[in-house]
Amino acid sequence: MKYRRIKGTQDILPDMVSQWQYVENMIRQCMDLFNYQEMRTPVFELTEVFARGIGQQTDIVSKEMYSFQDKGKKNITLKPEMTAPVMRAYLENNMSNMAALNKIYYISPLFRQENPQAGRLRQFHQFGAEAIGSNAPELDAELIMLAMYINDQLGISNLKLKVNSVGDPDSREIYILELKNYFKPLLKQYCHDCNSRYKSNPLRILDCKNKTCKELNKNVPKLVDFLNERSSKHFGMVKSLLEDNHIDYEIEPYLVRGLDYYTDTVFEITSENLGSQDAVCGGGRYDLLSEQFGGPPTPAIGFAAGIERLLLVMQAQDKLNNDENFLDVYICTMGEKASHISMTWLQKLRKLGLRVDRDFLKRSVKAQMRDAHRQNAKIVLLLGDNEIENKSFSVKDMDSGKQSEISLKDIEKYLRNHLKTQ
Ligand code: ATP
Ligand code: MG
């Protein structure tokens, strides 16, 4: 074969798709309980949406985007995250007129040109939630509880919830000056990327994954010590709400998250089952994003979780859904006439809500029985010249191995009774 899939992308084959559907169904059920409604946005946007929304200095915008010019010379980017598109759609569709608070969720493919490795792909999938229209700390708590609830419903355990507050831009500015003073004499020891971050966005040095930098970062001043009164109070409320609702968390003073749009609460959920790409979920408040898009001041908070990483954790914890595929009925035919008639029965039984299939390869009866077995058929209906003559099916119960002959007019009743009691 000549062609291979593009590096960092995955084919999700049927057996794995059933796992995806299981996770997606669980996400939908949980979102529904928390009264979040689904939103879908285009797979591409004007590059500007991400460049402005996420921030030029972020890894995503500076090096990970899949961008191209279309025939109309418009700069287009395949979406690398969902918060900016959701905010764009929220403003464009005047969703604030529909409800004062919009609670939105999504499940979507995303694209980032990074180095593929376990848990890090170029096309990956996220689900997430965005609550737009309120700055209540109760909403921060609800959103974190929602993220934890979904993980819990998927049977995942041993997750770590890390929270921090990045405050507002004013306190962050003071903090950044303080940071620069701290970093300056140590710059030679920091990595190349961090040296350029020092000039463009020193906060991002705290987010560096390089070992030496991480070590050097251990004694950096903490952002929480620079929060103003409003931010401190907000953060205090969020923490006490989490405690009152028995959500275990750790304060992670250097958690700033990769994206520029965050204010106040930020959080991350990690799993020790994931090695170095250990984040399953990240989120935070982004009260200033709407204004960056030219919209009215609109407080908001959201999170996003990587579905591939969740599946890796579920696999490591043996929580994958192992419902086996099965057929209610397999119709096994002998001869041309039986093959013809069986099509009508396929249709009839499917209309009754039964999962039915047959052979399409003109296989021998023996090979058809093997196929029925492989597909976990509960019942095999055999149709040959004799049965056609007798207006009946030979019926084999695959569990007990029992065979009987049942007339066509009774077959529906037999299947109903038989499959119900299994
Ligand atoms: P990381 O630090 O792992 O690069 P991030 O900060 O870039 O994560 P976000 O942009 O906050 O991640 O995305 C939220 C979640 O989406 C992550 O916690 C992770 O589970 C998942 N994710 C992010 N990038 C990828 C990727 N390239 N492949 C697979 N999953 C990803
Ligand atoms: Mg990243």
Side-chain angles (χ1 to χ4, degrees):
M1 222 285 293
K2 263 163 119 172
Y3 301 115
R4 296 258 176 266
R5 61 178 182 268
I6 288 171
K7 187 173 147 190
T9 65
Q10 273 183 333
D11 297 314
I12 306 174
L13 302 183
D15 62 331
M16 216 35 214
V17 163
S18 63
Q19 305 296 345
W20 280 78
Q21 288 175 343
Y22 168 71
V23 170
E24 288 163 3
N25 289 339
M26 190 63 83
I27 292 165
R28 291 180 197 289
Q29 273 174 35
C30 297
M31 293 292 184
D32 189 53
L33 289 182
F34 282 69
N35 196 27
Y36 281 69
Q37 287 173 325
E38 187 177 356
M39 174 149 142
R40 302 183 189 196
T41 70
V43 107
F44 47 41
E45 297 273 349
L46 288 178
T47 300
E48 191 73 347
V49 170
F50 304 111
R52 289 221 116 207
I54 309 174
Q56 296 283 357
Q57 307 308 335
T58 60
D59 286 353
I60 297 180
V61 173
S62 62
K63 54 185 195 212
E64 295 172 2
M65 294 203 300
Y66 277 101
S67 301
F68 59 95
Q69 258 192 1
D70 71 2
K71 288 188 180 134
K73 297 254 182 294
K74 288 213 160 57
N75 292 317
I76 309 272
T77 294
L78 298 184
K79 56 184 171 183
E81 60 97 62
M82 277 299 285
T83 303
V86 167
M87 182 53 86
R88 195 266 310 135
Y90 170 89
L91 293 171
E92 181 172 348
N93 297 287
N94 294 315
M95 288 180 70
S96 61
N97 292 343
M98 301 172 198
L101 173 64
N102 279 273
K103 302 210 287 185
I104 294 160
Y105 83 89
Y106 57 82
I107 302 178
S108 177
L110 298 173
F111 307 86
R112 295 184 193 175
Q113 194 156 352
E114 20 189 1
N115 275 338
Q117 48 197 294
R120 194 178 291 290
L121 294 149
R122 290 185 167 179
Q123 174 172 345
F124 64 103
H125 299 76
Q126 281 184 350
F127 74 90
E130 314 286 354
I132 309 178
S134 161
N135 61 6
E138 287 84 352
L139 192 61
D140 304 36
E142 182 190 65
L143 190 98
I144 294 173
M145 285 158 77
L146 167 60
M148 296 304 280
Y149 183 79
I150 294 173
N151 291 321
D152 198 51
Q153 292 298 300
L154 289 170
I156 298 174
S157 51
N158 291 329
L159 292 176
K160 242 193 218 156
L161 167 64
K162 300 169 184 173
V163 299
N164 192 23
S165 172
V166 295
D168 66 358
D170 288 346
S171 32
R172 214 146 58 201
E173 212 167 296
I174 303 169
Y175 175 64
I176 287 170
L177 286 178
E178 200 68 28
L179 268 186
K180 283 191 131 175
N181 287 338
Y182 174 89
F183 289 137
K184 201 166 185 184
L186 302 170
L187 270 181
K188 282 210 180 82
Q189 298 173 58
Y190 275 93
C191 74
H192 179 75
D193 280 353
C194 280
N195 272 273
S196 53
R197 286 172 186 142
Y198 178 80
K199 290 184 206 111
S200 58
N201 186 356
L203 263 187
R204 300 287 329 285
I205 297 177
L206 301 177
D207 208 29
C208 185
K209 308 263 151 67
N210 181 302
K211 262 203 185 126
T212 325
C213 301
K214 269 188 164 173
E215 197 56 37
L216 288 166
N217 280 342
K218 282 198 169 144
N219 300 313
V220 175
K222 294 176 178 161
L223 183 42
V224 275
D225 297 330
F226 293 78
L227 297 181
N228 65 24
E229 205 182 315
R230 191 204 51 78
S231 287
S232 289
K233 201 169 148 212
H234 185 97
F235 193 35
M237 278 288 278
V238 174
K239 288 186 288 186
S240 82
L241 285 161
L242 293 177
E243 282 153 30
D244 291 351
N245 291 287
H246 313 290
I247 306 282
D248 289 336
Y249 68 88
E250 278 171 28
I251 305 272
E252 170 71 55
Y254 303 122
L255 179 68
V256 293
R257 312 264 314 119
L259 317 181
D260 273 357
Y261 48 56
Y262 288 115
T263 47
D264 285 320
T265 315
V266 291
F267 66 97
E268 201 162 81
I269 301 172
T270 58
S271 165
E272 59 197 24
N273 293 107
L274 281 178
S276 57
Q277 268 61 251
D278 66 348
V280 285
C281 174
R285 202 162 247 300
Y286 49 94
D287 290 351
L288 304 173
L289 181 60
S290 169
E291 286 156 274
Q292 274 180 45
F293 278 9
T298 312
I301 181 162
F303 77 79
I307 301 184
E308 284 83 358
R309 288 194 201 170
L310 268 186
L311 285 166
L312 288 174
V313 177
M314 289 171 70
Q315 188 176 27
Q317 299 188 3
D318 208 10
K319 290 296 179 323
L320 288 181
N321 167 39
N322 43 23
D323 278 358
E324 281 192 37
N325 280 336
F326 69 91
L327 286 176
D328 290 311
V329 176
Y330 188 100
I331 304 184
C332 172
T333 60
M334 289 161 276
E336 208 122 308
K337 200 167 174 195
S339 173
H340 195 98
I341 296 172
S342 79
M343 289 308 291
T344 314
W345 280 95
L346 279 183
Q347 187 75 343
K348 222 184 220 173
L349 299 183
R350 284 170 179 161
K351 279 192 180 155
L352 294 178
L354 301 179
R355 199 185 288 176
V356 190
D357 210 348
R358 56 161 276 173
D359 166 68
F360 289 95
L361 299 170
K362 292 193 159 64
R363 281 180 276 202
S364 68
V365 170
K366 202 169 159 196
Q368 289 184 54
M369 290 307 291
R370 261 204 308 273
D371 190 33
H373 190 71
R374 184 186 67 83
Q375 303 216 53
N376 292 321
K378 294 177 182 167
I379 290 171
V380 173
L381 300 181
L382 281 115
L383 191 64
D385 290 343
N386 280 344
E387 285 83 2
I388 294 173
E389 180 114 338
N390 296 343
K391 294 194 168 33
S392 68
F393 275 118
S394 291
V395 180
K396 181 166 182 181
D397 177 323
M398 296 294 274
D399 267 349
S400 65
K402 265 193 217 143
Q403 293 218 35
S404 49
E405 187 157 340
I406 298 188
S407 75
L408 295 182
K409 66 176 172 31
D410 293 332
I411 198 73
E412 189 179 321
K413 196 167 137 213
Y414 168 85
L415 291 175
R416 270 189 206 284
N417 288 338
H418 206 79
L419 291 166
K420 203 163 50 195
T421 54
Q422 274 192 345

